[in-house]
Amino acid sequence: MSTVAITSPGRPRGSALGHLGWVLRHNPLTALASAGTLLLCLVAIFSPWLTPYDPIASDVQRALQPPSAAHWAGTDQLGRDLLSRIIAATRLDLAIAVSAVGLSFALGAVVGAFCGYVGGRLDRAVGRFVDVLMAFPLFVLAMAMVAALGNRVENIVIATAIINLPFYVRFARAEVNVRRNLGWVEAARAGGESHAAVVLRYLLPNILPAMAVQISLNLGWAILNAAGLSFIGLGVRPPTPEWGILVAEGARFITTGKWWLVAFPGLALMLAVLCFNLMGDGLRDILDPRQRT
Amino acid sequence: MTIPLLRIEDLRVTFSTRNGPVEALRGVSFDLRAGETLGIVGESGSGKSVTAFAATRLLDRAGRIADGRILFRGQDVSRLSDKEMRLLHGAALSMIFQNPRAALNPIRTVGLQLADALRAHAEMSAAAARAKALDLLKAVLIRDPERRLDAYPHELSGGMCQRVMIAIAIACEPALLIADEPTTGLDVTTQKTVMDLLARITAERGMAMILITHDLGLAAQYCGRVAVMEHGRLVEEAEPARLFSAPRHPYTKRLVAASPRLDSTLHDLVAGAAGAPGGAPGGAGVARADAPRPADPAGTPLLLEVRNLVKRYDGAVAVDDVSLAMRRGESLGLVGESGSGKSTMSRLICRLIDASAGDILFDGEAIGAIPARDFHRSRFRRDIQIVFQDPNDSLNPRFSAFDSIAQPVKRLTDLRGAALRARVLESADRSGLPPDLLDRFPHQLSGGQKARIGIARAIAVRPRLLVLDEPTAALDVSVQAVILGLLDRLRRDDDLAFLFVSHDLNVVRMMCDRTIVLQAGRVVEEGPSAALFARPRSAYARELLAAIPHFAPGPPLAAIA
Amino acid sequence: MAQAGSIARTAGRAGRRLLSSAPALFGVLVFTFLLMRVLPGDPAVFFASGPNAGKAEIEALRAQMGLDKPIPEQLVRYLGDIGTGQLGRSMTTGQPVLADLRERLPASLELTFSALLIALLLSVPLGVVAALRPGSPIDHGVRLLCALGVCVPTFVSGLLLIYVFYYLLGYAPDPTGRIDVFAASPPNITSFLLIDFALTGDWAGWRAAASQLVLPAVTMALFVIAPLARITRASMLAVLGSEFIRTARSVGLSRPRVIVTYALRNAILPVLTIAGIVFSTMLGANVLVEKVFSWPGVASYALDALLASDYAPVQGFVLLMAAIFVTVNLVVDILYGIADPRVSVT
């Protein structure tokens, strides 16, 4: 209030799509990341038609060839085309990340929002527990869970979802907590809404944009997590193409200079995570009320 | 002719924003002599604070002095290097800020922060600095100064923090002190003690002061000269007596008229603010003749009766045994400082929270017995509505204005479709909100417009009791005047009862038939507003009234001291 | 006397924190126990799974492992064992788990602490510099580094570092283990090789151990530099924009005083909190890094056991992680209590 009141009448009143266009034009990096994410999803959907070779057909004649015109990313120890394997892995990796994050978001947001709204002793207890859990080495926990539940893809999803859960509970709690005493929440009560309706129809939609940022950042984390688990031999098993497994297979040949076996799957992982993270950052910038006109 | 202490010539400041540069100051000029006290008054966005920050070269990164000169003792401050400027800061000119708690380093003791300021401009041992810091704390009348030296800001009250800030600002005996809204956010009695202290210290040490405030009364009471700013320009500058009796510029006229005074009536205020920016059609105009309401026929139950209400939070008592009664169509004021329990009262009566003990009767029925959790299903829900303090927080950011008004109508009445739409439009119209604003979202609306939506939402279900929780506290005075006029007209038209909760005694006096004064959760005085304000019986009410800044014709306080 | 009060306050806070993390710690314990004992197939069958394993052999194994008792009894026995330091025996090494862990823990801690040190030494200055010049090339560089840093999985960056520094350049030694197979170990004083070599003045040995340590430590540091630099930058920016910094400038404090005493000391508080979480992330990342570099730490030990369905070491490992994590949280709390007088006694 010590500075000028900045008013910009008119501008953002167009369609939501127009606003999106305006935002993307002014955040080239976000636009790029969004395009990358879209591309990733397309590759995941159409991967069977995009692979130049059969991702699991081995050809020992061509084992361990460096990148060439025929094999852009080289071949592995069984002569399988690495690029095809990387493309084929996209679907699995994205599916794991998306379903794990979806699960933990759905559960975490609702639980967190209710805790934050109700407050009191239960809320403090949940908050305390979540804080403690978050500070625990979560990868170790995920490892133990997958090992115990069984070495299957579903269990990677469950483990990843569980270790993501505290983030959503905590986030939703904090976001609801700062809003629960605002005028419009009390006004909704005065306007005849029940507590449950206030949480579900008023507070949740309001924290959703902020949660979207969290989801985007978390997707990257979930991918790293799943890849890490399969790298150490948990979850997905060879010969199923998966980025973590591809790196693990290539690791054996790194001291003999077969760099492409690690570099290309690593690059795929990195790009996927980068896209999700940049998109999350971009979303945060867009949604930050201080930067909104 | 001697050189003035500070001369500002045609100062222009621009801020770079996402939407391009914005001019905050468009050519401001004034002089300040040594030892003089100047008040700069204006509403939000007028550029009054920007002037102060530009003059001390403390603008944030986005702000830039585009043109003009700032001559301090004849030297152009805007051309000094950062290093030269650092030597001036604190030693020759210093500042006091709006939010004293935030203005102090939270993890450094008060004594060390004072010592930092002292040692920034003089070679001094730590022990000597500590001794000097103690003297300074004594000078700003802090009780138990030895102990306070080792205190952290969070251990002090807001008023105390501001005294510490004053001590830091005067530590190196600057010639000029700029106080930017030094008492905004403080209670009115604290405001008075802080301002009296500032006036005394500047007078004793012969320091010049610029007081930046939105409160015309405060500036008039404490300053020898008052400058009025609007839209980055200084529109009028005069002695307070002249400014109040014969304002020349149209904006000053409006501002003077819209500022509540000890003797102003609602009619004065609204008439004066008629041309203000917040004054949309339907906003102005108050029934002049205050014909007394006909008395209720005998046997009619009281509209609201509160008996021995108590509310405790985790052991602390917020409301302590409060009883009150309201007739239909009556307006009752609830005044008190922070911590008086007035906001808790408004939420208890609105049945948003449950009381710890006591009864609430509405129309003779014990609504206090219905848990707040289930009150939304009660038939009394639509009878009691509330208007909230901060218009920015009181609207769901994801609802358009129309949805915000329509939501309670949908929940609490049977109106649907065209009838619902008609009701929303009618409420908006009666609240002075043009229909073309109804599809806008809160961030596309001004504070005054948002306040109108809050009112429209509350009256749309045709309540019988409206709880107003500081409805104008966050608004500029000219907008406040219009909103107060609007509320008063709605009350008369609909025979609404008002429970008007406010810290502003002048506003309550104008708006309410009766007034209750709360202190620490208890009723200290109650009576008809006119009598209570003319002849307060309790010491606390007298203290509150005496603390209201007002302009009394005669030499300003600073000049006498 | 103010000092004594604040120490008492901090101690009280730490004590309460210790108590309040007890239920969660217990929860982790039970959780691990249940996961390990209840869900998978019969470990006895797995272990005896020679094609000629008889029923009697399996039964004997079950009894030896206590698997024939009811679950609650197994849990109670398990908790009792932990109380007396009996973490069971590893099936794969044949040693008591406690001894195995004790032998391997210094390797993990040396790696993790070195990595944390490298990360803090790089990230805090980077974050501060970026915040002091927002929008400058340095700032953009730091932000790019942060964005990239969190995207590269440790196992990929570790392998690529091996490729570059071992295969291509030949600077780094063979990436297997803490010490060269042919080199002599130092006398065991602290079990931290770098310290032991330094204490005995064997600088050639020190250099050899350090060169083994550098790549894995850098790998792990790279992963956590990003979050640390990011939070330093954000918190420094927030503090620099706060009102008390304006106050400090308005009374003419010198620039170093404003930046260090006023800004940095406040900005470091959130970094401290994040550093606790980062440390815990690193404990998890240890699993990956130790596997990549064949580092003989507790994580690779637990991983080998896990893949062999050998439960006792995994339980011991998770328990150890929980203990370390409680200790780290306590340390962070105590530091926070010293750095921030506002932490209340609640």
Side-chain angles (χ1 to χ4, degrees):
Chain A
M1 66 178 47
S2 58
T3 56
V4 274
I6 297 155
T7 49
S8 68
R11 198 194 53 73
R13 295 205 51 206
S15 64
L17 218 63
H19 181 64
L20 191 72
W22 181 84
V23 162
L24 291 184
R25 267 198 307 284
H26 286 77
N27 296 274
L29 212 55
T30 308
L32 206 67
S34 310
T37 310
L38 193 70
L39 189 73
L40 219 57
C41 294
L42 290 178
V43 168
I45 294 167
F46 298 107
S47 57
W49 296 277
L50 292 172
T51 50
Y53 298 86
D54 183 346
I56 46 175
S58 51
D59 175 2
V60 188
Q61 303 282 302
R62 300 171 170 278
L64 293 174
Q65 286 185 356
S68 63
H71 299 278
W72 290 3
T75 60
D76 67 3
Q77 73 281 9
L78 296 176
R80 294 173 293 196
D81 178 54
L82 195 59
L83 182 65
S84 301
R85 287 179 67 73
I86 292 171
I87 290 174
T90 312
R91 186 185 282 187
L92 184 60
D93 276 277
L94 283 196
I96 291 173
V98 168
S99 40
V101 168
L103 265 179
S104 47
F105 163 70
L107 202 63
V110 175
V111 170
F114 270 99
C115 283
Y117 184 71
V118 173
R121 205 165 294 158
L122 170 87
D123 178 48
R124 277 198 294 276
V126 169
R128 187 75 218 130
F129 185 75
V130 164
D131 276 358
V132 169
L133 201 62
M134 258 182 74
F136 196 80
L138 291 172
F139 188 76
V140 173
L141 219 55
M143 218 173 94
M145 270 188 279
V146 177
L149 293 171
N151 239 338
R152 285 192 307 275
V153 178
E154 308 91 270
N155 295 334
I156 288 210
V157 172
I158 291 172
T160 309
I162 289 178
I163 65 171
N164 266 314
L165 202 58
F167 290 87
Y168 288 101
V169 173
R170 182 173 140 132
F171 195 79
R173 239 187 103 230
E175 292 287 312
V176 166
N177 229 318
V178 297
R179 289 177 173 84
R180 57 187 268 219
N181 288 323
L182 290 186
W184 56 265
V185 175
E186 292 194 306
R189 294 274 301 137
E193 299 281 13
S194 66
H195 283 305
V198 168
V199 173
L200 296 176
R201 306 215 349 248
Y202 288 74
L203 288 167
L204 270 182
N206 265 288
I207 65 170
L208 220 51
M211 298 287 280
V213 174
Q214 192 71 11
I215 288 174
S216 189
L217 297 175
N218 241 328
L219 275 173
W221 198 58
I223 289 183
L224 283 185
N225 208 68
L229 286 175
S230 41
F231 176 79
I232 58 173
L234 292 173
V236 193
R237 287 183 210 218
T240 315
E242 194 280 341
W243 292 335
I245 288 183
L246 296 183
V247 175
E249 286 177 346
R252 285 186 284 151
F253 303 97
I254 197 76
T255 46
T256 49
K258 310 287 186 285
W259 57 273
W260 59 92
L261 292 176
V262 168
F264 289 112
L267 193 68
L269 260 175
M270 200 190 105
L271 285 179
V273 179
L274 188 68
C275 281
F276 285 126
N277 283 357
L278 285 180
M279 206 166 71
D281 284 350
L283 277 177
R284 194 197 332 251
D285 284 351
I286 294 164
L287 297 169
D288 190 336
R290 281 167 300 175
Q291 305 196 354
R292 192 161 42 186
T293 40
Chain B
M1 187 186 144
T2 55
I3 307 173
L5 180 68
L6 179 72
R7 161 169 281 176
I8 290 191
E9 287 176 1
D10 196 33
L11 185 62
R12 289 166 193 276
V13 170
T14 50
F15 279 81
S16 51
T17 71
R18 279 198 158 191
N19 300 327
V22 172
E23 269 201 305
L25 294 187
R26 309 159 192 244
V28 170
S29 308
F30 63 83
D31 281 1
L32 183 75
R33 292 185 306 278
E36 196 189 11
T37 313
L38 171 72
I40 300 183
V41 180
E43 295 185 307
S44 51
S46 62
K48 56 189 190 301
S49 291
V50 178
T51 309
F53 287 113
T56 48
R57 288 269 305 272
L58 289 170
L59 286 172
D60 59 34
R61 258 167 214 286
R64 190 175 61 84
I65 297 174
D67 199 10
R69 296 204 298 168
I70 303 160
L71 299 170
F72 184 80
R73 289 176 174 148
Q75 185 182 26
D76 191 350
V77 167
S78 63
R79 283 179 177 67
L80 291 182
S81 71
D82 284 353
K83 194 159 182 217
E84 292 165 320
M85 200 59 224
R86 191 182 78 71
L87 295 177
L88 280 186
H89 276 152
L93 48 87
S94 56
M95 271 191 89
I96 300 172
F97 303 95
Q98 178 167 5
N99 180 352
R101 206 185 292 281
L104 296 173
N105 186 345
I107 62 167
R108 204 162 167 79
T109 61
V110 162
L112 284 178
Q113 294 189 55
L114 272 164
D116 286 340
L118 287 163
R119 296 169 82 181
H121 298 287
E123 288 295 320
M124 200 184 279
S125 71
R130 191 175 161 91
K132 185 85 198 297
L134 187 62
D135 290 344
L136 282 165
L137 286 188
K138 284 179 185 157
V140 293
L141 307 179
I142 282 191
R143 247 170 290 142
D144 204 358
E146 285 87 355
R147 218 156 55 81
R148 300 292 181 218
L149 272 182
D150 294 317
Y152 291 96
H154 70 276
E155 295 166 339
L156 305 176
S157 70
M160 290 269 234
C161 283
Q162 194 57 293
R163 284 161 195 250
V164 171
M165 189 62 234
I166 293 172
I168 289 175
I170 62 168
C172 295
E173 306 270 340
L176 171 62
L177 186 63
I178 300 181
D180 181 29
E181 303 263 14
T183 56
T184 308
L186 299 180
D187 277 328
V188 60
T189 47
T190 318
Q191 160 166 298
K192 182 168 165 55
T193 52
V194 167
M195 282 312 301
D196 287 349
L197 175 73
L198 261 181
R200 197 174 53 76
I201 280 180
T202 49
E204 275 172 9
R205 304 181 182 216
M207 288 159 61
M209 175 164 78
I210 297 180
L211 173 68
I212 290 172
T213 176
H214 65 281
D215 187 337
L216 200 51
L218 193 71
Q221 187 175 353
Y222 289 97
C223 301
R225 229 160 17 108
V226 175
V228 178
M229 287 191 68
E230 185 200 18
H231 300 320
R233 288 195 184 84
L234 205 151
V235 295
E236 189 166 356
E237 188 188 333
E239 286 170 7
R242 214 274 282 141
L243 205 69
F244 269 89
S245 57
R248 288 181 192 147
H249 191 274
Y251 177 73
T252 318
K253 283 181 189 163
R254 283 209 304 274
L255 198 63
V256 168
S259 301
R261 275 181 274 173
L262 284 180
D263 54 350
S264 48
T265 64
L266 198 54
H267 182 267
D268 297 339
L269 241 60
V270 175
V286 176
R288 181 81 224 238
D290 292 3
R293 280 182 82 254
D296 292 329
T300 317
L302 286 166
L303 181 71
L304 177 77
E305 198 179 351
V306 170
R307 291 186 196 141
N308 309 103
L309 207 58
V310 177
K311 177 70 184 175
R312 293 183 206 93
Y313 287 110
D314 298 330
V317 182
V319 170
D320 190 5
D321 196 23
V322 172
S323 300
L324 57 86
M326 284 179 76
R327 286 177 292 111
R328 286 148 205 285
E330 192 187 14
S331 69
L332 176 67
L334 215 51
V335 298
E337 296 188 302
S338 53
S340 63
K342 55 187 194 305
S343 280
T344 307
M345 276 299 291
S346 70
R347 277 154 184 76
L348 284 169
I349 290 171
C350 212
R351 301 301 298 118
L352 292 171
I353 52 175
D354 286 317
S356 308
D359 298 319
I360 303 172
L361 280 77
F362 188 84
D363 234 1
E365 298 221 24
I367 60 166
I370 309 170
R373 172 162 41 88
D374 298 325
F375 195 72
H376 65 101
R377 284 195 287 269
S378 160
R379 68 192 164 90
F380 292 108
R381 176 70 280 171
R382 62 178 290 189
D383 287 329
I384 308 174
Q385 288 295 313
I386 180 164
V387 174
F388 293 96
Q389 170 169 9
D390 190 341
N392 300 314
D393 286 350
S394 67
L395 299 178
N396 186 342
R398 305 186 73 76
F399 275 9
S400 67
F402 184 92
D403 292 337
S404 278
I405 303 170
Q407 174 263 330
V409 183
K410 267 188 237 165
R411 287 280 132 206
L412 300 173
T413 72
D414 300 327
L415 301 179
R416 293 292 178 274
L420 178 113
R421 189 171 170 75
R423 175 65 72 85
V424 173
L425 288 173
E426 180 212 329
S427 304
D429 180 54
R430 297 186 63 210
S431 310
L433 198 69
D436 58 315
L437 294 183
L438 283 176
D439 56 355
R440 289 210 190 169
F441 287 88
H443 70 273
Q444 299 164 326
L445 296 163
S446 72
Q449 288 164 342
K450 281 184 266 197
R452 286 172 195 276
I453 296 173
I455 293 167
R457 172 177 61 193
I459 63 165
V461 294
R462 306 257 161 89
R464 289 193 287 159
L465 170 63
L466 196 56
V467 178
L468 297 142
D469 186 9
E470 305 256 17
T472 57
L475 301 175
D476 280 329
V477 284
S478 54
V479 184
Q480 161 173 292
V482 181
I483 296 291
L484 290 179
L486 165 73
L487 284 171
D488 195 63
R489 201 166 45 90
L490 286 172
R491 180 168 79 88
R492 285 165 204 280
D493 289 354
D494 287 11
D495 201 21
L496 255 172
F498 271 6
L499 183 68
F500 199 106
V501 178
S502 179
H503 71 285
D504 190 330
L505 285 87
N506 272 328
V507 168
V508 169
R509 179 180 54 77
M510 290 185 294
M511 294 295 290
C512 301
D513 308 329
R514 276 192 308 130
T515 300
I516 290 178
V517 181
L518 285 178
Q519 184 190 19
R522 287 179 159 274
V523 176
V524 291
E525 188 162 352
E526 176 178 4
S529 301
L532 191 147
F533 283 87
R535 290 172 301 281
R537 282 164 306 174
S538 65
Y540 181 64
R542 273 199 295 277
E543 190 190 341
L544 277 183
L545 280 169
I548 304 176
H550 64 276
F551 171 66
L557 208 77
I560 322 172
Chain C
M1 66 268 141
Q3 222 70 28
S6 83
I7 288 169
R9 211 168 43 200
T10 305
R13 200 175 119 83
R16 262 184 307 279
R17 183 70 176 258
L18 196 62
L19 275 181
S20 70
S21 53
L25 201 59
F26 182 74
V28 168
L29 218 68
V30 173
F31 184 62
T32 331
F33 171 82
L34 290 177
L35 281 177
M36 290 294 147
R37 299 277 158 131
V38 182
L39 292 164
D42 192 334
V45 175
F46 182 88
F47 260 92
S49 66
N52 50 357
K55 207 173 166 65
E57 188 195 341
I58 291 174
E59 280 311 308
L61 258 171
R62 287 178 65 85
Q64 187 200 330
M65 296 195 291
L67 292 172
D68 52 344
K69 303 284 192 310
I71 296 297
E73 199 188 322
Q74 286 189 41
L75 175 63
V76 172
R77 270 177 57 164
Y78 171 64
L79 292 179
D81 286 349
I82 287 168
T84 54
Q86 307 259 308
L87 295 178
R89 188 175 281 274
S90 164
M91 298 286 185
T92 28
T93 64
Q95 295 246 43
V97 169
L98 195 64
D100 278 344
L101 288 176
R102 195 181 289 147
E103 186 190 320
R104 288 156 166 268
L105 183 61
S108 290
L109 287 184
E110 187 169 41
L111 172 61
T112 312
F113 281 129
S114 320
L116 187 64
L117 196 69
I118 295 172
L120 283 175
L121 286 180
L122 284 174
S123 59
V124 171
L126 277 179
V128 169
V129 170
L132 286 178
R133 300 246 174 281
S136 69
I138 296 176
D139 184 32
H140 286 301
V142 170
R143 288 168 69 183
L144 185 73
L145 189 81
C146 289
L148 290 178
V150 288
C151 299
V152 189
T154 40
F155 50 91
V156 173
S157 53
L159 290 169
L160 292 180
L161 284 177
I162 291 174
Y163 175 71
V164 173
F165 290 97
Y166 170 71
Y167 179 79
L168 282 187
L169 303 175
Y171 291 165
D174 185 30
T176 42
R178 288 173 94 184
I179 195 159
D180 194 35
V181 240
F182 305 109
S185 297
N188 193 343
I189 304 170
T190 61
S191 306
F192 289 90
L193 289 185
L194 290 186
I195 297 177
D196 287 353
F197 276 124
L199 286 178
T200 51
D202 179 359
W203 294 108
W206 191 89
R207 219 168 297 128
S211 64
Q212 290 281 358
L213 181 66
V214 160
L215 281 194
V218 166
T219 302
M220 213 189 285
L222 278 180
F223 189 58
V224 296
I225 280 177
L228 285 174
R230 191 182 189 135
I231 190 84
T232 309
R233 176 180 175 274
S235 114
M236 192 73 186
L237 267 180
V239 169
L240 283 173
S242 68
E243 297 183 26
F244 64 85
I245 292 298
R246 199 172 56 191
T247 307
R249 286 171 56 208
S250 81
V251 295
L253 299 194
S254 64
R255 194 172 154 80
R257 176 124 254 188
V258 171
I259 289 170
V260 178
T261 314
Y262 278 68
L264 189 57
R265 274 204 207 160
N266 276 283
I268 213 75
L269 295 173
V271 180
L272 212 54
T273 311
I274 292 294
I277 294 180
V278 157
F279 190 83
S280 157
T281 317
M282 290 168 77
L283 290 179
N286 255 338
V287 179
L288 300 168
V289 175
E290 288 183 12
K291 182 172 162 65
V292 168
F293 289 92
S294 310
W295 196 257
V298 282
S300 57
Y301 166 67
L303 184 59
D304 291 343
L306 188 74
L307 295 175
S309 290
D310 187 2
Y311 301 150
V314 180
Q315 263 172 356
F317 172 65
V318 174
L319 200 60
L320 179 69
M321 290 295 116
I324 293 178
F325 133 84
V326 168
T327 316
V328 166
N329 270 320
L330 265 182
V331 170
V332 166
D333 262 15
I334 291 168
L335 289 178
Y336 205 101
I338 292 166
D340 187 351
R342 282 167 300 180
V343 289
S344 59
V345 195
T346 51

